[in-house]
Amino acid sequence: MTALPLTDTADLARAKVPNLVTELPGPIARAAIERDHSFVSPSLGRVYPLVPARGSGMVIEDVDGNRFLDFNAGIAVNSTGHCHPAVVAAIEEQTRSLLHYCSSDFFLPVYADVCARLAASAPDAMGGTKVFLANSGTEAVEGAIKLARHATRRPNVIAFLGAFHGRSLGSLSLTASKARYRGGFGAPMAGAYHAPYGEPGYIENVIFKHLTPPDDVAAIIVEPIQGEGGYLVPPRGWLAELRAICDAHGIVLIADEIQSGVGRTGRMWAVEHDGVAPDVILAGKGLASGLPLAALIARDALMAWGPGKHGSTFGGNPVACAAALATLDLVDSELSDNAARVGTHLMARVRALRPRQPAIVDVRGRGLMIGVELRSHDEAVAVEQECFRRGLLVLTCGESSLRLAPPLICTETQADLAVEILEASLPAS
Ligand code: PLP
């Protein structure tokens, strides 16, 4: 049976969810998947046969009319929910006046508006900041590597095991979440070192003693909450330790907030929970609610590179910038607070499952960035798939965890519904 899709996304937001009207995947989805296999790069690692057609708020409707509660948010991207009316209106308005003009060569006021908003959002202790806009997270990371090397004239960068910083060759050299991401691509960027995430003392006792002296190190790049690596919250004081190491040796501290930033953890930036001010903040993913935009926010004194040192044809495209301004308005006025409030509720609800659900080993996170660790990798994958079959979209991360990263508009009622489906999807013993 094929359901007729609703006509209007506002109806979709109010519709019953989950609502599964065909087997999964349904007939139209199966045809779409077959076609996809014929033409699309097989490097894309699809996790379950979801074929989205429309989204509104917390709801995704697939091509067969099945409706899912979305706790992926397009992998932490649809921060304001799907097709938020204010974001759509800002995009529509911008498309009527200017689609593109290369910001690397000319002056776009909307580009500067986004930079001003991001500069104002940076922790006060960063002092004055300047901002560069890119199209994707990996580009922001590439920009940060270049900036740190340029500012320090040093070659090396320290990242952490489990990190995900992107897939272009520089950022891939810092990514250390899954070996298969790196395999087959030859030598990584020279000068990339990795330390265990959250382990105090390692950089000074091992890396600086045995691998590279600190005055060869341009930057330490860290996710304040490790995303792809397992939604890991580091021990309190560890980010401050990194700050102290950087201060002692003139190293640039880069906070990769591409997944954790822009309100997801209940603060604009996750580093704020630890009171640590990095030298560079990287944003992406949720910054423009789904349009491609990323940002490199750096202390004034660092971003002292001259014309031509860095640029991008599309980076800071005016339509993406308009979406970002609308997104930042929503995040500042209500969504960051909502993420803190609903995140606390969601975390408590999932933790309350533990006494009766032996499969749950740990629940951790901040705001609406919550990791649920299960007993094994296979168990995490099985629960992810069962949630899909029951109409809840979640993804695994790390070795054996599920990530809960819904849009920041999530309500307590929707959080409760997700917990119910999650519990029903867990193994019986
Ligand atoms: N950094 C972090 C922390 C990420 O989570 C990601 C993507 O998942 C990236 C960088 C790369 O972003 P993109 O996929 O937009 O290149």
Side-chain angles (χ1 to χ4, degrees):
M1 183 180 78
T2 311
L4 282 179
L6 298 163
T7 48
D8 169 301
T9 51
D11 289 347
L12 183 58
R14 289 188 293 269
K16 179 172 177 290
V17 62
N19 190 37
L20 304 177
V21 295
T22 69
E23 73 280 13
L24 293 177
I28 305 176
R30 282 201 301 276
I33 291 167
E34 206 177 301
R35 184 161 185 276
D36 184 290
H37 286 323
S38 307
F39 296 109
V40 175
S41 164
S43 63
L44 305 180
R46 273 60 176 277
V47 285
Y48 38 76
L50 174 70
V51 185
R54 301 187 311 142
S56 183
M58 293 286 297
V59 183
I60 278 288
E61 188 177 77
D62 79 0
V63 287
D64 292 289
N66 297 299
R67 279 179 230 132
F68 301 85
L69 183 63
D70 186 9
F71 266 56
N72 287 338
I75 321 303
V77 168
N78 299 103
S79 49
T80 54
H82 295 280
C83 300
H84 192 290
V87 176
V88 172
I91 292 169
E92 280 176 356
E93 195 183 324
Q94 183 62 45
T95 59
R96 281 192 287 271
S97 49
L98 188 70
L99 291 182
H100 168 78
Y101 216 82
C102 183
S103 50
S104 286
D105 297 295
F106 305 98
F107 298 92
L108 284 179
V110 71
Y111 185 113
D113 289 345
V114 174
C115 295
R117 285 293 289 270
L118 290 173
S121 77
D124 289 343
M126 283 180 76
T129 52
K130 285 208 166 54
V131 182
F132 174 87
L133 299 179
N135 302 288
S136 64
T138 196
E139 285 179 50
V141 173
E142 296 293 337
I145 298 169
K146 281 178 68 179
L147 183 69
R149 282 183 166 182
H150 186 268
T152 61
R153 303 292 159 151
R154 299 174 181 181
N156 296 338
V157 180
I158 299 173
F160 296 93
L161 295 173
F164 189 88
H165 296 295
R167 296 170 186 272
S168 48
L169 280 172
S171 67
L172 183 64
S173 309
L174 303 175
T175 288
S177 52
K178 295 192 178 84
R180 79 178 135 91
Y181 294 164
R182 299 166 56 115
F185 298 115
M189 175 186 82
Y193 294 86
H194 289 91
Y197 187 76
E199 190 172 316
Y202 190 93
I203 290 179
E204 282 176 310
N205 297 332
V206 180
I207 295 200
F208 290 168
K209 269 197 191 138
H210 301 291
L211 296 168
T212 170
D215 54 8
D216 273 353
V217 177
I220 296 177
I221 181 165
V222 63
E223 293 163 88
I225 296 179
Q226 205 173 63
E228 162 85 10
Y231 275 34
L232 300 175
V233 182
R236 200 157 275 291
W238 182 70
L239 292 174
E241 179 186 309
L242 298 184
R243 178 69 273 173
I245 292 170
C246 290
D247 287 343
H249 301 289
I251 297 169
V252 175
L253 182 61
I254 303 168
D256 179 344
E257 297 248 19
I258 288 163
Q259 189 154 174
S260 60
V262 195
R264 175 149 296 281
T265 68
R267 303 272 182 91
M268 180 67 181
W269 308 112
V271 284
E272 292 173 34
H273 293 280
D274 292 79
V276 168
D279 302 300
V280 174
I281 293 178
L282 305 180
K285 284 190 177 281
L287 178 57
S289 291
L291 266 66
L293 190 70
L296 194 174
I297 307 161
R299 287 185 199 273
D300 269 340
L302 263 184
M303 206 177 259
W305 46 11
K309 290 288 177 192
H310 203 50
S312 162
T313 296
F314 289 121
N317 163 275
V319 183
C321 283
L325 291 174
T327 302
L328 291 168
D329 283 345
L330 290 162
V331 168
D332 284 349
S333 63
E334 51 179 309
L335 296 187
S336 180
D337 290 345
N338 189 63
R341 194 174 51 78
V342 178
T344 304
H345 174 83
L346 176 60
M347 181 108 82
R349 286 295 318 272
V350 183
R351 282 192 170 143
L353 297 179
R354 280 191 67 185
R356 59 177 189 273
Q357 290 296 347
I360 300 181
V361 174
D362 189 27
V363 183
R364 55 185 173 249
R366 287 202 168 109
L368 287 172
M369 184 169 186
I370 296 176
V372 183
E373 188 170 332
L374 304 182
R375 289 172 295 197
S376 68
H377 175 73
D378 289 351
E379 195 162 74
V381 172
V383 175
E384 169 197 65
Q385 301 293 319
E386 184 57 24
C387 285
F388 170 64
R389 284 190 288 272
R390 291 173 180 267
L392 174 68
L393 304 179
V394 293
L395 255 192
T396 59
C397 60
E399 178 55 26
S400 53
S401 297
L402 294 171
R403 56 181 113 178
L404 306 181
L408 309 184
I409 56 165
C410 184
T411 64
E412 290 188 0
T413 310
Q414 289 159 333
D416 290 345
L417 180 55
V419 174
E420 257 172 54
I421 302 172
L422 174 65
E423 182 167 25
S425 305
L426 291 169
S429 58

